[in-house]
Amino acid sequence: MSKEKKMRLTLPEEELVGSGNLACQGCGANLALRYVLKAFGKRTAICIPACCWAVIDGAFPHSCLGIPVYHCAFETAASTATGVKAGLEMVGDTETQVIAWAGDGGTFDIGIQALSGTAERNDDILYVCYDNEAYMNTGIQRSSATPLGAWTTTTPVKFPKDRPKKDIDAIMAAHRIPYQATASIAYPEDLYKKALKAKNTRGTKFIHIYAPCPTGWKSRPEDTVKLARLAVQTCLFPLYEVEHGEKYTLNIKVQNKKPIEEYIKLQGRYRHLKPEAAAAIQEGIDRDWERLLKKVNAG
Amino acid sequence: MKKVIMGNHALSYGAMLSRSQVISAYPITPQTQVVELLSEMCADGTLQAKFIKVESEHSAMASCIGASVAGARTFTATSAQGLALMHEMLHWASGGRLPIVMGNINRAMAPGWSIWTDQNDSLSQRDTGWMQFYCSSNQEVLDTTIQAFKIAETAGIPAMVVLDAFALSHTYEVVDIPDQAKVDAFLPSYKPYARLTPDAPCAFDGLTGPEHYFELRYKLQKDMEKVPALFNETSREFEKIFGRRLEAVEPYLCDDAEIILVTSGTAGFTARVAVDEMRKDGIKVGNLRIRMFRPFPFDDVRRLLAKVPKIAVLDRNISYGYHGIFCQEVKSALNGSGSKSPVFGFIAGLGGRDITVASFREVVDITRGQSTPAEEINWIGVKK
């Protein structure tokens, strides 16, 4: 017998996202769904509203996914998923899990009412927001998930985004749903674990996945994972879980916060940024991080 | 079993007897009793269904769409502003070929706020690809709801059952509530052509390029065109089981009429009373009540109206900048049929102002007094 070491996979091998789909090079959203479906498996139905994934999946009559897909209206990911779950149960399928899979525009902006309704009723679905911080599918227009100081086609360099990103996770926590988490495509094992936890929790689950977009961020496709990791290491996008809106758990405990410049300099959307504007971004990150630590310590 | 019930409850009983499996609704006056009774039925187990209490009408129709694509029989009800809010999703339901049945209580559109009846809410949804059936009695509301599921599921087209605010929704009438076994015999459980299931994963309603989209719409129209025949077929079946006949258009004393009053909704029954009274006075007048508005029953309308000397259409609605919407449709149906009959257009009862027997007498007086219409619109009961 040879003493060759067998490679141990940290994630299931099964792929439910087909290759050769319509994602851009270096698409973070593509990785996000790959990892989530590794946890959820084949007995899953997904509702996709208008967002990048409405295109990535492929045009009629094609689909790159190995699960049933319902392409729904922009603001209806949550309400459609609620209906699908109810419908499946009424035709005798209590096993299939339902995912609403929306971008940040479909979640933070146009779909927030339906999402709030679903969460308040605690309907048994997983809602995932893959966040690339603007309306990327329509050509990089600002959303309420676009961060302070960023360029988009509707926040030109002469007047970049002048308000901070909406705190969607705090809004979801206010709904006291059984489980919610932030996750990142740079931490696949953490993301997988969270998806699995969501799969085994009944009621409304919400996972907010940080998904860099080279096309919209004017970054290099090969930097997608690096950027997502830097977002965590700078504490711009901390990874944590919340149970019932109260119990906060920090998953990656960052000891030495990296300066935000390291993250900013890799992206064309911040090229116009003056040093004082970058300092304001750093201040915002520090303040939000302290606020989060308080919640974690209180739990 | 005969019971005295309100129009709204006739909708609830129709949805219950049809064994709706998912109901998703948001409250709006004057629809509330429909969903109140259904939520009670779901709570006490009279109806084995999931009732989703959504936060808006938009979400109501979105979750109906989700439930329907999962293969469940699905029902909702709304009115006016709620229907308008659903507009985007109405296209989605018909484009997705989902046989959702919805009750709509005709209520005037705001502003100013009005809770009273007119038809501009439902008629504004004319081109969304939904079938529309207008009712005149509570019995008809119940029967039409059951029939609507049958037609919708056969054609793969959603259906709207329409009734007037208060004049029908809150009016109590004797209704024969059929036995469940009879309804089951008429309406077997829903067997979708395709549904969302991991057993046969496919993508529904996604991005559709110019090489496919056109054909999907062509097929929707072709299937819509089959509905009048389907309607008659299901009506015959319905009559066999329940002893009541539902017509796409209902003629009353039309054969020898010199003027036919074309109406819809509760005004249709008032018109009948007016016809009876005027016949006593020796005026040869008849009534044609249009129940099926979409698809429009062109053949029936042509057959019944082509030879009458004069036609008077009474609309409780208006297409601003043109005239009454039923009047438009009647003119369009007669165009090319060889009919030379003048069509007189009347608008009455907007925002719930009463349409009475006297209104129809005025309509007939104006129609008799002119050989061809002097005005595009004759206004009945307006303070000018």
Side-chain angles (χ1 to χ4, degrees):
Chain A
M1 289 283 283
S2 74
K3 285 194 171 178
E4 267 180 74
K5 270 191 182 168
K6 255 192 155 180
M7 191 167 78
R8 200 177 62 86
L9 296 175
T10 55
L11 298 175
E13 225 172 325
E14 187 181 37
E15 293 290 356
L16 289 168
V17 175
S19 59
N21 64 33
L22 297 181
C24 300
Q25 273 193 351
C27 173
N30 196 31
L31 292 173
L33 188 50
R34 260 188 79 199
Y35 298 143
V36 168
L37 290 186
K38 279 175 185 291
F40 268 71
K42 278 186 177 155
R43 302 302 294 182
T44 305
I46 196 164
C47 297
I48 304 179
C51 63
C52 289
W53 254 104
V55 176
I56 297 171
D57 183 43
F60 175 85
H62 304 288
S63 170
C64 74
L65 297 179
I67 56 167
V69 184
Y70 193 68
H71 290 279
C72 60
F74 206 168
E75 64 279 54
T76 70
S79 45
T80 306
T82 286
V84 168
K85 183 67 185 168
L88 286 174
E89 286 189 0
M90 285 310 298
V91 299
D93 180 355
T94 51
E95 178 199 1
T96 298
Q97 301 239 21
V98 181
I99 299 176
W101 184 263
D104 49 284
T107 305
F108 287 60
D109 291 344
I110 198 167
I112 196 167
Q113 175 180 321
L115 171 58
S116 175
T118 290
E120 184 273 331
R121 292 186 302 271
N122 201 25
D123 294 334
D124 187 18
I125 65 151
L126 166 65
Y127 190 106
V128 177
C129 171
Y130 65 94
D131 182 4
N132 50 29
E133 302 196 315
Y135 290 90
M136 297 314 186
N137 194 35
T138 45
I140 327 168
Q141 293 80 24
R142 69 90 91 180
S143 75
S144 60
T146 302
L148 182 70
W151 162 90
T152 67
T153 55
T154 52
T155 48
V157 292
K158 281 185 182 162
F159 190 54
K161 181 90 181 318
D162 63 344
R163 293 286 299 155
K165 185 186 181 95
K166 188 189 277 183
D167 189 352
I168 192 77
D169 306 298
I171 292 170
M172 294 315 293
H175 287 76
R176 312 273 196 275
I177 53 174
Y179 182 69
Q180 71 182 82
T182 62
S184 168
I185 52 118
Y187 296 82
E189 291 84 2
D190 176 77
L191 169 49
Y192 171 76
K193 220 167 61 192
K194 286 167 176 170
L196 214 52
K197 193 160 178 184
K199 187 184 175 187
N200 294 319
T201 303
R202 301 280 59 81
T204 304
K205 289 79 61 178
F206 179 80
I207 302 182
H208 179 189
I209 305 178
Y210 201 69
C213 167
T215 310
W217 294 10
K218 306 297 171 201
S219 57
R220 297 189 309 170
E222 60 268 38
D223 281 346
T224 290
V225 174
K226 188 178 182 181
L227 278 167
R229 191 177 298 121
L230 276 169
V232 174
Q233 291 169 339
T234 55
C235 296
L236 173 71
F237 194 86
L239 300 186
Y240 61 96
E241 296 165 290
V242 190
E243 286 162 72
H244 303 287
E246 282 172 354
K247 190 171 172 278
Y248 282 69
T249 309
L250 196 59
N251 306 113
I252 304 286
K253 297 182 181 78
V254 179
Q255 297 303 338
N256 300 306
K257 228 188 281 175
K258 286 191 176 171
I260 196 62
E261 280 80 6
E262 283 191 36
Y263 168 84
I264 282 173
K265 70 183 181 197
L266 296 173
Q267 304 171 57
R269 65 173 172 161
Y270 290 117
R271 194 175 297 137
H272 60 279
L273 218 60
K274 301 215 163 55
E276 59 271 25
I281 292 173
Q282 184 66 62
E283 265 172 42
I285 291 170
D286 294 346
R287 205 169 45 239
D288 288 348
W289 176 245
E290 290 307 317
R291 193 183 292 154
L292 177 64
L293 289 181
K294 269 184 205 157
K295 288 179 184 172
V296 171
N297 294 332
Chain B
M1 180 184 53
K2 283 192 175 161
K3 255 181 131 168
V4 178
I5 58 171
M6 70 194 307
N8 277 343
H9 286 171
L11 261 180
S12 317
Y13 276 105
M16 180 206 82
L17 289 166
S18 301
R19 295 191 189 275
S20 300
Q21 292 170 300
V22 176
I23 296 156
S24 183
Y26 185 78
I28 180 167
T29 302
Q31 152 266 33
T32 45
Q33 293 83 7
V34 182
V35 293
E36 284 166 5
L37 183 56
L38 282 169
S39 63
E40 269 177 42
M41 288 168 167
C42 290
D44 69 17
T46 313
L47 176 59
Q48 297 291 319
K50 287 192 185 291
F51 194 126
I52 308 169
K53 288 137 196 180
V54 283
E55 80 300 329
S56 74
E57 287 90 354
H58 197 280
S59 285
M61 189 46 68
S63 46
C64 282
I65 286 167
S68 187
V69 83
R73 183 171 286 161
T74 308
F75 178 84
T76 188
T78 190
S79 184
Q81 312 302 128
L83 186 66
L85 185 59
M86 280 182 187
H87 176 75
E88 178 195 21
M89 303 321 295
L90 298 187
H91 284 280
W92 214 282
S94 61
R97 304 302 301 267
L98 299 170
I100 298 160
V101 172
M102 166 163 61
N104 180 68
I105 322 299
N106 269 148
R107 163 182 158 178
M109 295 297 300
W113 278 117
S114 168
I115 54 170
W116 297 277
T117 194
D118 77 34
Q119 299 171 324
N120 259 68
D121 59 348
S122 54
L123 292 175
S124 294
Q125 308 303 332
R126 185 185 66 174
D127 300 334
T128 55
W130 279 61
M131 298 184 282
Q132 291 194 6
F133 305 115
Y134 288 78
C135 301
S136 294
S137 71
N138 291 353
Q139 185 70 59
E140 213 175 272
V141 171
L142 187 147
D143 292 350
T144 304
T145 307
I146 297 166
Q147 189 197 20
F149 275 110
K150 177 109 170 178
I151 299 173
E153 288 169 9
T154 311
I157 300 172
M160 209 183 286
V161 179
V162 187
L163 51 150
D164 287 290
F166 302 109
L168 210 54
S169 68
H170 287 63
T171 299
Y172 282 76
E173 292 179 341
V174 176
V175 174
D176 183 6
I177 299 171
D179 292 340
Q180 184 66 59
K182 279 188 178 179
V183 179
D184 291 346
F186 176 76
L187 182 69
S189 58
Y190 174 41
K191 298 269 184 307
Y193 165 75
R195 67 180 196 90
L196 206 64
T197 168
D199 297 327
C202 37
F204 292 79
D205 299 349
L207 184 65
T208 309
E211 70 273 35
H212 295 298
Y213 185 94
F214 200 0
E215 283 68 29
L216 295 179
R217 291 301 176 262
Y218 170 77
K219 283 180 177 166
L220 176 54
Q221 169 64 14
K222 284 290 145 192
D223 288 340
M224 209 42 137
E225 287 171 11
K226 290 179 195 156
V227 168
L230 182 61
F231 186 98
N232 291 336
E233 193 186 307
T234 58
S235 288
R236 277 194 296 273
E237 218 179 308
F238 192 93
E239 191 179 14
K240 243 186 256 168
I241 296 174
F242 303 100
R244 290 185 294 275
R245 190 159 176 80
L246 296 158
E247 307 278 4
V249 296
E250 206 173 68
Y252 181 65
L253 304 181
C254 283
D255 290 345
D256 64 338
E258 283 163 8
I259 297 171
I260 293 181
L261 301 170
V262 180
T263 55
S264 61
T266 49
F269 271 6
T270 311
R272 270 197 190 195
V273 178
V275 164
D276 287 341
E277 285 195 10
M278 286 185 273
R279 285 263 172 183
K280 279 183 205 153
D281 300 342
I283 305 166
K284 283 190 175 173
V285 58
N287 171 230
L288 184 69
R289 184 163 66 87
I290 298 179
R291 287 190 60 235
M292 183 165 74
F293 175 73
R294 275 295 178 272
F296 196 75
F298 280 100
D299 291 342
D300 290 334
V301 167
R302 280 179 187 158
R303 180 171 48 82
L304 291 158
L305 290 183
K307 292 201 176 69
V308 67
K310 283 177 178 177
I311 298 156
V313 185
L314 183 112
D315 273 294
R316 197 170 215 161
N317 61 75
I318 183 165
S319 173
Y320 301 106
Y322 196 24
H323 53 64
I325 294 167
F326 278 86
C327 185
Q328 280 176 37
E329 307 286 348
V330 166
K331 282 184 180 175
S332 147
L334 294 178
N335 185 26
S337 70
S339 165
K340 298 262 189 316
S341 314
V343 179
F344 293 75
F346 296 86
I347 288 178
L350 298 186
R353 188 161 300 175
D354 280 343
I355 296 176
T356 63
V357 170
S359 313
F360 285 105
R361 280 193 177 273
E362 198 181 337
V363 165
V364 169
D365 283 349
I366 292 170
T367 308
R368 291 178 87 198
Q370 299 170 10
S371 53
T372 53
E375 308 274 353
E376 278 292 328
I377 301 176
N378 295 286
W379 298 86
I380 301 297
V382 77
K383 298 169 210 157
K384 282 187 190 167

